Structure formats: C-alpha cells, structure tokens
Amino acid sequence: MRFSSEVVVTLRPSINDPQGLVVHDGLRQLGFTGVRSARVGKYIELEVEAADEASAQAVVTQMCEKLLRNPVIEDYRITVRPLGGAPSSGSPT
Amino acid sequence: MRFGIAVFPGTWSDRDCAHAVGLDGHQAVMLWHKDRELHGVDCVILPGGFSYGDYLRCGAVARFAPLMESVADFARRGGLVWGICNGFQILCEAHLLPGALLRNASLQFRCAPAWLRVDTTESPFTASCRVGDVLQIPVSHGEGRYVADQATLDQLEREERVLFRYTRPDGGPVGAASPNGSLRDIAGIVNHDGNVLGMMPHPERACEPLLGSADGMRLFRSVARSMEREGTAAGVG
C-alpha cells in the first residue's frame, strides 16, 4: 500500500530561533499584536510504500531518527495516512 | 607530510586548502567523496563549501558519503581530522564532535575578517601558538552559530577542548560583534581525544600576507610540527 506521510521538524524549545523572532516582530509590526511567539520549522512530505499503516509509521520514524532531524537541536512529529482511493477491502472512501 | 583534502559535490575551499598546504612544501592529496581510500595521508581536512547543496541541514547528507566512513574510522584510530566551516558542520552531523551549527543570529551570511583567541596549545592543531594569541582568520558562513546543551558546554571547557573563541582584535570579549552568535563565543572545538578539530573560520584563507593575514599558517605548521614530532605514533597512516 501507498501512504502519504507528513513530517514536521521543529527546533527544540531550548534552542534560540532568530528566524522565529523576525517572524514574530514582523507580525507585530503588521498589527497582529496578539502574537505571543513564533518558531520556524521544516515540513517534509513523503510518499511511502509499506505493508500497512503501522509499518509506514515505523519506517518514517526510522527516517527521522537517521536523517530528517538532528537530535541535538530538533524534535519531530509524524502523520501517516493511506493514499489513493479505497483499500483493497473495498470499503468506501 | 601528506594532507588529505576531502572533495564533496559543492565543496569550495579544497583548492585553497591545497594551496596553503603546498606553501610549506607538504603534499595535498584530494580525496573524492565516493572513494573510501585515504591514500596513507597523515591528516584529513574536510574543507569549506556547501556539500550536496547543504540541503536539509548543512553536512547532513555529506556524513553518509562513502569517504566519511573511512574518515570516521581514521578518526577512531587517532588520525588527525580537521573540519573547516562546512567540515565542522559535517563532523557535528557525524557525531564526531558534539553540538550543532545553526543559522547565524544575524540571519545574514558573514564573509569578513574575524579574530580568534587561542585558548589552549595542548593540541596538535595549536602547538605552534601561545595561549592568548589572537589570530586573524576570516569567517565565511551563514550557519555558524555553535550550540550545545549546558552540560556539553561545561564539559568542553572543563576538558580544555575549546581551542578558539571569537574575540575583538585586542583579545577582548567579542560581545555583539560576534559573527554568528555562537554560545560562549566558541569558534573551534576538539573531540575528547583531541585528534578531531572543527572550526568555522577559514585558516586557508589567511595563509599569505597578500590575503590580509598569514595567521592561518600557524595552524598548518602546528599540525606539521606535531606529526613530525610524533611520527605515526597513533599507528595510523
């Protein structure tokens, strides 16, 4: 089965994020005075072939651990969903 | 002696490093990223540049190059490995050095003279310097802000593994003039065994008075002198 996976990589809370500070200041200058903080991260879209959703989740986790994030500075979140129509069981989409 | 100089796609300081090495009559051996052979070099330089486009994170892809397996093995056996700029980023990504290098606090690429205070000479990379010497060596990077957790920073200081710190030209604290906002003004560190150095500034670009400074040659000479003194004591080569 094919799955679509979204990986969001964020800087750890303890890491200073000058990009986020600039975004924060910019938003406030535009009048969004309610903005309390801004942090900038990375978004990665993957298409993954896997036997089922659990193994897709597992393999994307491995990708994050090995390459997609640097554990010294970053955290990550993963979402996985089936791609392309109904599963072979024929259940409606 | 023989300096190996790694060449990844996107490396840009390899020829400058070879030039600096050649000034003292040493041999430069270019090491292609797809090869595993180190050709018996005495010291491996990972030069500056944008290896593999620096996509995802600087050095994140280069660390998986076939050559890096040999370099990591060479380092584990005590061989001298010297990462400059992108090379420092690669060494951090490869976990051969602690910490990481992030976007400069200014968010700007900085290509400018910098001044480094030598904090320890108990290293093959600074053996020809004196503690407190201020070296003029330029920086040229967009992502050179050194970060690590407090415990790691304390350990680096306790074990005298911070070789260089950014300073003012007179050796005073760099303060807001830091080129990148590195924690504790760190410009260069070594690993626990002292044989792997990572530094953001470019000594190869300060190798002749014509370039504004020849201070970088003091590091190349330190390495050469240390190697001559110790031969291949570490049993690598």
Side-chain angles (χ1 to χ4, degrees):
Chain A
M1 277 182 76
R2 196 174 289 182
F3 294 88
S4 162
S5 177
E6 299 177 340
V7 178
V8 174
V9 180
T10 56
L11 280 177
R12 292 203 154 164
S14 60
I15 302 290
N16 179 30
D17 177 18
Q19 253 190 117
L21 293 175
V22 169
V23 170
H24 176 254
D25 290 352
L27 288 171
R28 290 185 68 86
Q29 275 177 29
L30 286 170
F32 295 104
T33 51
V35 63
R36 287 289 170 262
S37 72
R39 310 269 297 166
V40 176
K42 286 179 191 144
Y43 170 76
I44 302 160
E45 273 180 1
L46 301 165
E47 251 185 69
V48 188
E49 196 73 45
D52 51 44
E53 196 163 320
S55 31
Q57 180 91 24
V59 75
V60 174
T61 301
Q62 282 177 28
M63 292 176 192
C64 289
E65 292 292 331
K66 195 154 189 205
L67 176 66
L68 299 181
R69 73 97 183 235
N70 179 344
V72 177
I73 47 169
E74 294 168 328
D75 294 320
Y76 65 92
R77 304 192 290 273
I78 298 170
T79 57
V80 172
R81 64 178 173 82
L83 199 67
S88 51
S89 66
S91 59
T93 50
Chain B
M1 62 178 285
R2 287 155 64 83
F3 285 84
I5 299 171
V7 184
F8 301 95
T11 298
W12 74 358
S13 274
D14 45 330
R15 298 287 153 185
D16 291 351
C17 285
H19 174 76
V21 162
L23 288 175
D24 277 353
H26 300 298
Q27 192 185 348
V29 181
M30 308 317 269
L31 305 174
W32 185 235
H33 67 114
K34 286 184 177 170
D35 295 339
R36 291 168 199 274
E37 177 58 50
L38 298 186
H39 303 286
V41 297
D42 303 297
C43 170
V44 173
I45 296 176
L46 303 178
F50 302 84
S51 55
Y52 300 93
D54 272 350
Y55 296 129
L56 189 64
R57 296 180 307 277
C58 303
V61 180
R63 70 163 285 213
F64 295 109
L67 179 69
M68 281 306 295
E69 286 178 32
S70 307
V71 171
D73 187 49
F74 180 72
R76 273 191 289 273
R77 289 184 289 129
L80 293 185
V81 177
W82 185 0
I84 297 167
C85 198
N86 195 218
F88 187 8
Q89 295 163 336
I90 295 169
L91 289 171
C92 287
E93 283 285 343
H95 306 302
L96 290 170
L97 290 173
L101 295 144
L102 297 185
R103 282 283 288 276
N104 293 347
S106 65
L107 298 177
Q108 293 171 336
F109 191 98
R110 284 287 160 84
C111 184
W115 289 266
L116 314 180
R117 191 183 67 226
V118 177
D119 267 16
T120 175
T121 53
E122 298 294 311
S123 162
F125 299 100
T126 53
S128 294
C129 303
R130 282 167 305 179
V131 171
D133 278 353
V134 176
L135 309 179
Q136 185 188 329
I137 295 178
V139 293
S140 174
H141 60 249
E143 308 199 18
R145 176 168 51 103
Y146 184 75
V147 300
D149 59 41
Q150 294 294 320
T152 302
L153 293 170
D154 289 343
Q155 185 182 15
L156 286 172
E157 307 223 37
R158 201 168 52 241
E159 297 176 355
E160 298 199 348
R161 289 162 54 190
V162 178
L163 259 53
F164 308 111
R165 275 179 226 266
Y166 300 106
T167 61
R168 292 186 178 280
D170 64 3
V174 70
S178 164
N180 48 38
S182 286
L183 294 178
R184 304 193 192 183
D185 300 330
I186 287 173
I189 56 165
V190 290
N191 65 338
H192 180 267
D193 292 332
N195 62 308
V196 177
L197 164 66
M199 62 187 295
M200 286 312 296
H202 287 267
E204 79 282 4
R205 298 191 195 175
C207 63
E208 298 177 83
L210 183 64
L211 299 174
S213 168
D215 288 351
M217 284 309 288
R218 296 176 65 184
L219 309 188
F220 287 96
R221 285 178 189 140
S222 293
V223 171
R225 191 204 272 186
S226 302
M227 292 303 296
E228 282 160 16
R229 200 184 300 146
E230 296 184 19
T232 49
V236 295

